[in-house]
Amino acid sequence: MEENYVNLTPENLADEHLCCIIRKKPHPGVEAKRQWLAARLREGHVFRKRKGSGCAFIEYAPLETAWTPVEGANYLYVYCLWVDGAEKGHGFGRALMEYCLADAEHSGKSGVCMLGARKQKAWLSDQAFAAKFGFVPVDETDDGYLLLARSFDGTAPHFARNAKAQRIDRSELTVYYDVQCPFIPQRAAQLEQYCREKAIPAAFIRVDSLQQAKALPCVFNNWAVFYQGRLRTVNQLDVRGLEKLLHAV
């Protein structure tokens, strides 16, 4: 029911938890996300969640102002739909997706899109779940990342041309990231420190503008890892995951 959910606004942003990391004490990733959201809410960004202390939320934005190298007119872009822990199994994910689709229709949008992959990625929303709502692939990269869309009028968005490159002219470990996800600042700092300690050549590039995000040479949903010039994953990595990636190549 409507009264069981709340949308973040400039007025309640400081008081509501952000679902992913729930702490009573200040947390650097959460505070960075709040600052990022404060600017995005003015652009039509939506963060809707279940009331209470659990984790069930959806986050989306007009495609024109979404920090992702996807192009198209009059669409919404879903960054994340996440239901975790005790919140699972109660239909909250369905309710959140239905809200997003209804919001798009009532706003006269052409549809809703999101990033997916032929092989499900840990840090992407469940595309099998999205398929139940009519999302289908409308574009694809050579390495199997998909743009999924639910179209209301027959139009379709597409990956920006630069996003399909999935390659860069540098061989060292290169991580593009922003602070939209509260986990990212600590992950980036942890990996950067590890690379310094192990003398691993690496570049950590913070994406801090819409223009920079739209121009990225890869698919991007707030994190992308290159090694030896190729995109390796959009999954967030810890030290163990980084070691596995480096040794596998």
Side-chain angles (χ1 to χ4, degrees):
M1 298 176 66
E2 182 70 21
E3 62 267 22
N4 293 326
Y5 296 87
V6 60
N7 287 17
L8 296 186
T9 67
E11 291 72 30
N12 66 17
L13 178 58
D15 301 318
E16 294 285 347
H17 71 72
L18 302 184
C19 290
C20 304
I21 299 176
I22 302 174
R23 301 284 190 276
K24 291 184 178 180
K25 295 182 179 180
H27 182 282
V30 173
E31 296 315 308
K33 172 64 178 279
R34 286 192 201 281
Q35 293 178 21
W36 187 86
L37 272 176
R40 305 286 79 74
L41 291 176
R42 297 194 296 267
E43 301 167 351
H45 188 107
V46 174
F47 187 112
R48 181 174 177 82
K49 65 170 188 165
R50 277 271 299 172
K51 290 181 179 178
S53 59
C55 178
F57 73 97
I58 190 169
E59 190 169 0
Y60 59 89
L63 182 56
E64 292 83 355
T65 57
W67 286 32
T68 185
V70 175
E71 298 175 342
N74 206 36
Y75 264 74
L76 294 179
Y77 177 81
V78 177
Y79 288 106
C80 190
L81 171 58
W82 194 8
V83 179
D84 198 21
E87 302 293 276
K88 288 184 176 180
H90 301 287
F92 301 149
R94 172 173 290 277
L96 290 164
M97 180 62 86
E98 289 175 345
Y99 177 90
C100 175
L101 292 170
D103 188 12
E105 287 195 280
H106 294 160
S107 301
K109 298 295 183 182
S110 295
V112 179
C113 61
M114 60 190 287
L115 182 63
R118 291 206 172 275
K119 183 178 179 181
Q120 179 68 47
K121 308 297 183 182
W123 287 88
L124 294 181
S125 298
D126 187 344
Q127 60 205 43
F129 175 77
K132 297 177 181 178
F133 295 88
F135 284 79
V136 297
V138 294
D139 203 357
E140 182 174 3
T141 66
D142 290 341
D143 52 354
Y145 284 97
L146 304 173
L147 181 61
L148 307 172
R150 163 74 184 275
S151 178
F152 302 146
D153 62 7
T155 64
H158 58 90
F159 288 123
R161 184 174 182 179
N162 46 279
K164 287 193 171 185
Q166 307 284 69
R167 291 181 177 274
I168 57 176
D169 293 328
R170 54 198 308 169
S171 61
E172 71 266 39
L173 176 74
T174 303
V175 180
Y176 293 95
Y177 70 96
D178 64 23
V179 297
Q180 184 201 350
C181 172
F183 288 106
I184 285 180
Q186 286 187 315
R187 290 183 186 277
Q190 179 189 40
L191 294 187
E192 193 166 11
Q193 179 179 351
Y194 177 80
C195 289
R196 284 198 302 268
E197 292 172 352
K198 300 296 183 180
I200 299 171
F204 290 81
I205 302 171
R206 176 168 165 171
V207 177
D208 58 9
S209 72
L210 173 65
Q211 292 72 24
Q212 190 180 0
K214 291 293 189 187
L216 285 170
C218 58
V219 296
F220 183 76
N221 201 53
N222 63 46
W223 178 272
V225 181
F226 283 82
Y227 186 54
Q228 295 184 348
R230 287 179 50 203
L231 178 71
R232 301 297 175 174
T233 186
V234 296
N235 285 353
Q236 293 183 36
L237 300 176
D238 56 14
V239 167
R240 183 176 179 182
L242 175 59
E243 291 175 338
K244 184 177 179 180
L245 183 153
L246 296 176
H247 293 154
V249 176

